[in-house]
Amino acid sequence: MLKPWIALAGAAVLASACTTTGNTERNAVGGAALGAIAGAVIGNNVGSGNAATGAAIGAAVGGTAGAVKGCREDGGCGAGQPGRRQYYDERVGRYYYYDSSTGRYYWEDGSPR
């Protein structure tokens, strides 16, 4: 009964060292936890009444959804930045933008300004 929770906690610890911002991991762990709880409740009340199977499925789905959400918050996973406001520097004839997550300015190609 305790083995699935130990495995889930171990996976969360291993995933916590993947990115510098932590959005992907934080959202994956949160999604997995919420998914496991919802899956256990649903699995217990529906079908064969197996809460462990429901928790495992819910954790997998919730963790995946949370990881994708966190990755998109970091600007990856297909999250383009079309709404990013760009400014034009007339002295050098190039566009630049401000990245609020780092507090820095970057040229349009992504190099630091």
Side-chain angles (χ1 to χ4, degrees):
M1 177 70 179
L2 195 55
K3 287 181 183 180
W5 293 107
I6 293 172
L8 182 61
V13 169
L14 290 175
S16 66
C18 293
T19 66
T20 57
T21 62
N23 286 334
T24 303
E25 294 82 14
R26 195 171 27 256
N27 288 336
V29 170
L34 290 174
I37 292 169
V41 170
I42 293 169
N44 190 39
N45 295 325
V46 177
S48 64
N50 191 348
T53 302
I57 293 169
V61 172
T64 301
V68 170
K69 180 182 180 293
C71 186
R72 291 183 63 84
E73 286 176 1
D74 288 340
C77 298
Q81 298 178 346
R84 176 177 65 196
R85 183 171 178 175
Q86 293 186 344
Y87 305 95
Y88 186 72
D89 187 342
E90 293 180 9
R91 292 179 294 138
V92 294
R94 293 173 68 181
Y95 286 94
Y96 66 95
Y97 65 93
Y98 175 75
D99 184 13
S100 60
S101 65
T102 62
R104 296 185 176 182
Y105 290 91
Y106 295 94
W107 292 113
E108 188 175 24
D109 65 359
S111 62
R113 180 170 183 244

